[in-house]
């Protein structure tokens, strides 16, 4: 039994539009409960209960379109009242005021890399020197209080509520922050495989890291964020805080994040926006949507919601998955091109200082790589929620002994960095891993690898600029 639409079925259904939006029922994220057995195809069309009579004609059209296909012997299509009024993707207003000019949307260069601003370290690496990482993604716990349907952490040992009491211990964590500053690490993001706010030492870590000279940031679902002095002090020391939210209503939040805490998440976002304005902070407050075929209908509602909340940006990014399709995304990466119209419509809700950023390259590249080695391994590290250090998050829960750089609860970051083991693993990651067959799609290091590969493999006649 398959749970993904074959290309020919998808193509047929893309000719069927939702009369309320004018968007086809595939791109609108309305298809669910797919089952394919032999030559029989069955699926559901998600609708609001109040639209059942109107959508019956759509159901009949979808069923007929599938039955017309060669090799399809039977089709069963049902309407299911899984949406609430106001959840359907609205018809876009393409004359939305404040439409940005091309190139103005991504002032943060999220759809690329920033290695050009760190060329002295790149040049040192080219000379064969042992360079400190520019950035580290720091996990703080092994658990989470919600369960997003696209969570890559499930492949990295995220135990959700069972892991809530497993987190990076205080003394080792604060030592890590201080060593990072001393060694020349320029930024750290508390965005590991699980929820950072489950770690009771998170606020102290933010302040310690910043005082050590490291730019600090955090990605969180926000539900547990303190709205007292700890939360305010964190915002004073963070370069940015980004809320993981891929749904724009209470109902869709339950569907996408398996949580009833939508109102709480919105409250915490408002707290950050209001604190930033009241205290005139430079902290950037953003939202991040992880795009999948199941939540594409939330792109435009989220773009609108971000503007209403007063955040600095909404970024819509790809969903990463292993080559083994552990999350169910790798095998449907070719579907992402179908979402282009909706994504372009979402971008039109940018206005003034509010940006709607789409990571177009990673969304549309279907996981393809133009480089053969992970040359970025020395520049970007990852540490797990229990304090182990790697140069790729892929190894948190597989071949861990082979690729672990060290354990920060047993050695200091400085000791690990200066060890031969550290550099042996960096070389192995850079030279021995088959990025086309082993690495998960659109990894964090992807654009850095692409840049360094081109740098190390110059074109012919390079002086003819």
């Amino acid at each position: 039994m398959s749970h993904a639409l074959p290309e020919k079925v998808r193509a047929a259904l893309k000719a069927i539009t939702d009369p309320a939006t004018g968007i086809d029922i595939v791109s609108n994220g309305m298809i669910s409960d797919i089952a394919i057995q032999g030559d029989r195809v069955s699926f559901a069309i998600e609708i609001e209960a109040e639209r059942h009579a109107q959508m019956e004609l759509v159901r009949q059209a979808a069923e007929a379109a599938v039955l017309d296909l060669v090799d399809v012997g039977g089709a069963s299509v049902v309407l299911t009242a899984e949406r609430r009024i106001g959840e359907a993707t609205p018809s876009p207003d393409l004359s939305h005021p404040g439409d940005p000019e091309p190139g103005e949307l991504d002032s943060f260069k999220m759809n690329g890399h920033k290695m050009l601003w760190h060329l002295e370290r790149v040049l040192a690496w080219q000379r064969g020197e042992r360079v400190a990482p520019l950035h580290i993604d720091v996990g703080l716990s092994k658990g989470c209080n919600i369960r997003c349907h696209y969570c890559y952490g499930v492949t990295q040992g995220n135990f959700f509520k069972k892991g809530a009491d497993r987190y990076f211990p205080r003394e080792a964590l604060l030592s890590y922050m201080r060593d990072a500053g001393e060694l020349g690490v320029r930024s750290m993001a508390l965005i590991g495989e699980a929820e950072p706010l489950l770690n009771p030492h998170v606020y102290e870590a933010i302040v310690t890291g910043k005082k050590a000279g490291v730019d600090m940031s955090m990605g969180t679902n926000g539900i547990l964020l303190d709205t007292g002095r700890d939360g305010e002090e964190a915002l004073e020391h963070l370069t940015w805080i980004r809320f993981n939210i891929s749904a724009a209503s209470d109902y869709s939040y339950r569907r996408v994040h398996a949580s009833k805490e939508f109102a709480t998440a919105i409250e915490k976002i408002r707290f950050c926006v209001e604190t930033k304005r009241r205290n005139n902070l430079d902290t950037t407050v953003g939202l991040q949507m992880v795009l999948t075929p199941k939540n594409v209908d939330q792109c435009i509602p989220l773009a609108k919601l971000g503007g209403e909340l007063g955040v600095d940006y909404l970024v819509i990014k790809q969903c990463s998955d292993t080559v083994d399709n552990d999350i169910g995304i790798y095998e449907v990466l070719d579907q992402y091109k179908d979402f282009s119209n909706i994504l372009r419509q979402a971008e039109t809700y940018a206005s003034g200082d509010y940006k709607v950023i789409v990571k177009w390259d990673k969304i549309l590249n279907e996981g393809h790589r133009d480089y053969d080695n992970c040359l970025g391994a020395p520049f970007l590290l990852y540490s797990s929620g229990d304090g182990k250090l790697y140069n790729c998050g892929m190894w948190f829960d597989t071949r861990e002994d082979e690729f672990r750089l060290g354990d920060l609860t047993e050695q200091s970051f400085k000791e690990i960095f200066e060890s031969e083991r550290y550099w042996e693993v960096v070389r192995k990651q850079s030279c021995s891993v088959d990025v086309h067959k082993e690495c998960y799609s659109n990894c964090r290091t992807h654009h850095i690898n692409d840049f360094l590969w081109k740098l190390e493999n110059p074109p012919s006649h390079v002086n003819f600029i």
Side-chain angles (χ1 to χ4, degrees):
M1 178 181 295
S2 172
H3 297 281
L5 283 176
E7 184 63 35
K8 63 181 181 180
V9 178
R10 291 177 61 248
L13 293 179
K14 280 179 66 64
I16 311 299
T17 60
D18 177 359
T21 65
I23 299 172
D24 70 84
I25 59 177
V26 175
S27 299
N28 210 5
M30 300 173 72
I31 305 299
S32 66
D33 300 330
I34 303 157
I36 300 172
Q37 291 183 305
D39 64 353
R40 296 192 60 82
V41 178
S42 65
F43 57 89
I45 302 175
E46 294 185 1
I47 63 168
E48 301 92 344
E50 294 81 355
R51 298 179 62 211
H52 197 281
Q54 177 194 32
M55 293 298 289
E56 174 58 22
L57 291 176
V58 173
R59 186 199 69 77
Q60 293 176 16
E63 190 169 88
V66 174
L67 282 171
D68 282 343
L69 296 171
V70 177
D71 299 331
V72 173
S76 175
V77 183
V78 299
L79 299 176
T80 178
E82 292 293 333
R83 297 189 181 197
R84 302 286 177 84
I85 285 291
E87 272 222 310
T89 302
S91 298
D93 175 8
L94 296 179
S95 62
H96 189 270
D99 286 359
E101 293 296 323
E104 291 183 354
L105 293 172
D106 188 8
S107 59
F108 305 102
K109 286 197 70 66
M110 294 183 190
N111 199 34
H113 67 88
K114 301 174 187 173
M115 297 296 284
L116 293 174
W117 287 268
H118 304 280
L119 288 179
E120 81 291 341
R121 200 161 297 187
V122 174
L123 293 172
W125 167 76
Q126 285 191 301
R127 292 192 296 267
E129 297 178 21
R130 293 183 169 184
V131 297
L134 289 166
H135 175 85
I136 307 176
D137 279 353
V138 181
L140 291 187
S141 81
K142 299 296 287 186
C144 194
N145 52 328
I146 65 175
R147 198 181 187 99
C148 310
H149 78 259
Y150 50 75
C151 180
Y152 187 77
V154 299
T155 72
Q156 300 174 296
N158 179 346
F159 296 98
F160 297 101
K161 291 183 179 180
K162 292 182 180 178
D165 295 328
R166 293 181 58 189
Y167 50 78
F168 208 134
R170 178 181 181 275
E171 291 304 322
L173 176 60
L174 300 185
S175 172
Y176 183 24
M177 301 293 109
R178 289 188 286 265
D179 278 357
E182 182 180 343
L183 288 172
V185 175
R186 291 179 178 167
S187 63
M188 302 179 92
L190 310 181
I191 52 172
E193 71 274 34
E195 173 52 47
L197 290 174
L198 283 170
N199 190 314
H201 314 300
V202 57
Y203 301 106
E204 195 173 2
I206 291 168
V207 175
T208 299
K210 183 62 177 179
K211 289 183 176 178
V214 181
D215 286 350
M216 300 297 297
S217 62
M218 180 166 64
T220 173
N221 60 52
I223 293 167
L224 300 175
L225 183 67
D226 178 73
T227 55
R229 183 54 195 152
D230 281 344
E232 289 205 5
E233 188 175 28
L235 290 173
E236 292 167 4
H237 289 82
L238 287 170
T239 299
W240 53 260
I241 183 170
R242 186 170 65 213
F243 289 83
N244 172 31
I245 181 168
S246 300
S249 70
D250 180 79
Y251 170 73
S252 56
Y253 197 85
R254 295 174 190 233
R255 175 166 60 93
V256 174
H257 297 289
S259 170
K260 301 176 182 179
E261 298 287 353
F262 176 73
T264 303
I266 296 302
E267 173 195 342
K268 300 305 175 71
I269 295 168
R270 292 190 191 279
F271 162 76
C272 290
V273 172
E274 292 166 2
T275 301
K276 171 182 175 172
R277 291 175 177 173
R278 182 177 63 252
N279 297 338
N280 195 29
L281 302 177
D282 291 330
T283 310
T284 299
V285 180
L287 310 180
Q288 176 173 276
M289 176 188 188
V290 178
L291 180 65
T292 75
K294 291 182 179 179
N295 66 6
V296 64
D297 62 315
Q298 295 300 298
C299 291
I300 293 173
L302 269 169
K304 294 177 65 178
L305 179 62
E308 293 165 2
L309 291 172
V311 299
D312 296 297
Y313 68 83
L314 164 70
V315 59
I316 303 174
K317 62 164 286 186
Q318 79 296 338
C319 179
S320 293
D321 194 6
T322 66
V323 293
D324 295 323
N325 199 46
D326 287 331
I327 303 173
I329 294 295
Y330 191 81
E331 292 182 356
V332 296
L333 288 174
D334 62 332
Q335 294 184 18
Y336 275 74
K337 62 182 180 294
D338 296 336
F339 309 147
S340 295
N341 286 340
I342 288 177
L343 293 171
R344 280 193 285 268
Q345 292 157 14
E347 285 181 325
T348 68
Y349 287 90
S351 181
D353 292 331
Y354 171 57
K355 311 296 183 186
V356 178
I357 301 165
V358 177
K359 289 192 172 183
W360 285 108
D361 181 63
K362 288 187 174 182
I363 285 174
L364 296 179
N365 70 11
E366 299 184 15
H368 177 73
R369 290 175 164 88
D370 291 322
Y371 52 86
D372 294 332
N373 296 100
C374 184
L375 299 180
F379 296 99
L380 179 60
L381 299 188
Y382 305 74
S383 54
S384 63
D386 53 0
K388 296 180 177 63
L389 188 65
Y390 309 82
N391 47 33
C392 181
M394 182 171 67
W395 309 123
F396 281 15
D397 206 39
T398 181
R399 299 170 67 181
E400 192 265 349
D401 289 338
E402 189 178 350
F403 285 96
R404 186 179 65 241
L405 297 167
D407 189 332
L408 292 157
T409 67
E410 297 176 358
Q411 290 177 283
S412 71
F413 179 38
K414 187 175 182 181
E415 288 171 336
I416 294 172
F417 175 76
E418 292 174 348
S419 70
E420 287 305 313
R421 162 75 179 181
Y422 179 99
W423 294 102
E424 288 170 4
V425 174
V426 168
R427 282 191 293 273
K428 185 170 186 175
Q429 176 74 23
S430 298
C431 302
S432 303
V433 173
D434 188 333
V435 299
H436 303 291
K437 295 181 179 179
E438 297 182 75
C439 297
Y440 65 93
S441 60
N442 285 307
C443 70
R444 178 77 170 78
T445 322
H446 173 68
H447 284 301
I448 297 172
N449 283 336
D450 192 57
F451 165 73
L452 295 173
W453 180 261
K454 290 174 182 175
L455 192 64
E456 290 294 283
N457 296 274
S460 301
H461 306 164
V462 69
N463 290 333
F464 289 85
I465 59 173

